């Protein structure tokens, strides 16, 4: 009585195996904890930076736009984003943001227009500040926009993302943000393996 149950560790080489192992432990009624399962791509701050990169690389990327507009810096809720979607659909993002900010529809809330202006101004500033600079500088500039009250995991993940961008730019012929977005997707898929 009062004895602690024996503990056991399971080392998993592929993240995709975790759900099956967790299910088996649940079925057996055994408690468990998962350590080290997170990658830098699990960081909310990294996802915000990557979504901003994706907007710059592919301005018609609706999912990236929704991610950025709902991140802490801009803070739009689902209702506001739903109202904006048809207004930004299938257009060049900076041009459509400019139109909505400079000549907003009468039924568009002033607070939403203010958020759109902030996003437009941020994107213009990023493009102006990083023009001709290495990709790492672009990632750093976007990171600085999204840096707020971040935990140690997010801070370290953003630092690692910046390092990945630096290594990418050193070793790849196409150093564009678009190529980096594709490269990042490949890294994320590999990390799942």
């Amino acid at each position: 009585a009062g004895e602690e149950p024996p503990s056991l560790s399971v080392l998993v080489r592929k993240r995709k195996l975790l759900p099956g192992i967790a299910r088996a432990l649940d079925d057996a009624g055994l408690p468990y904890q998962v350590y080290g399962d997170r990658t830098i791509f699990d960081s909310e701050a990294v996802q915000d930076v990557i979504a901003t990169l994706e907007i710059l690389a592919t301005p018609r990327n609706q999912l990236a736009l929704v991610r950025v507009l709902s991140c802490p810096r801009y803070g739009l809720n689902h209702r506001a984003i739903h109202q904006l979607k048809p207004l930004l659909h299938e257009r060049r993002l900076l041009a459509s943001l400019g139109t909505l900010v400079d000549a907003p529809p009468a039924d568009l809330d002033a607070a939403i227009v203010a958020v759109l202006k902030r996003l437009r101004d941020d994107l213009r500033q990023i493009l102006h500040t990083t023009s001709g600079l290495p990709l790492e500088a672009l990632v750093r500039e976007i990171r600085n926009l999204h840096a707020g009250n971040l935990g140690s995991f997010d801070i370290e993940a953003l630092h690692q993302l910046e390092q990945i961008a630096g290594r990418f730019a050193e070793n790849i012929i196409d150093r564009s943000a678009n190529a980096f977005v594709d490269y990042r997707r490949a890294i994320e898929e590999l990390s799942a393996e």
Side-chain angles (χ1 to χ4, degrees):
E3 285 185 35
E4 290 225 7
S7 60
L8 174 71
S9 295
V10 177
L11 178 62
V12 179
R13 292 183 138 202
K14 295 185 177 191
R15 292 178 73 209
K16 68 181 181 181
L17 297 175
L18 280 173
I21 293 170
R23 203 169 25 260
L25 291 170
D26 281 336
D27 291 347
L30 298 172
Y32 63 90
Q33 291 180 329
V34 177
Y35 296 100
D37 181 38
R38 296 170 72 183
T39 71
I40 69 165
F41 303 111
D42 295 321
S43 160
E44 295 287 322
V46 165
Q47 291 176 25
D48 294 342
V49 168
I50 288 171
T52 306
L53 264 176
E54 288 182 346
I55 287 173
L56 293 171
T58 349
R60 294 178 182 179
N61 187 328
Q62 289 287 316
L63 289 175
L65 179 61
V66 168
R67 170 86 200 184
V68 169
L69 286 172
S70 61
C71 80
R73 179 165 179 83
Y74 306 106
L76 289 185
N77 60 29
H78 274 286
R79 193 167 150 207
I81 290 171
H82 182 72
Q83 185 181 359
L84 283 173
K85 271 188 159 182
L87 301 174
L88 295 168
H89 187 67
E90 292 301 316
R91 298 180 186 171
R92 302 245 354 124
L93 182 62
L94 280 174
S96 55
L97 280 175
T99 301
L100 287 174
V101 168
D102 297 335
D107 61 340
L108 191 58
D109 187 275
I112 295 174
V113 174
V115 167
L116 294 177
K117 180 180 183 325
R118 185 176 193 189
L119 175 59
R120 180 199 62 186
D121 293 348
D122 284 348
L123 293 175
R124 284 180 175 172
Q125 181 63 34
I126 289 167
L127 291 172
H128 174 73
T129 305
T130 62
S131 178
L133 295 178
L135 182 64
E136 188 176 354
L138 175 61
V139 171
R140 187 179 310 115
E141 190 69 23
I142 296 170
R143 179 204 67 195
N144 290 341
L145 279 180
H146 293 284
N149 296 325
L150 301 177
S152 58
F153 174 70
D154 287 319
I155 291 168
E156 178 58 28
L158 286 169
H159 178 68
Q160 288 181 28
L161 181 66
E162 199 174 313
Q163 289 179 328
I164 289 169
R167 286 193 301 271
F168 170 82
E170 288 172 8
N171 298 306
I172 304 294
I173 293 170
D174 181 356
R175 294 176 173 87
S176 68
N178 204 13
F180 181 68
V181 166
D182 291 341
Y183 174 73
R184 191 270 322 160
R185 282 190 193 114
I187 288 176
E188 191 170 11
E189 287 170 13
L190 285 172
S191 73
E193 290 292 313

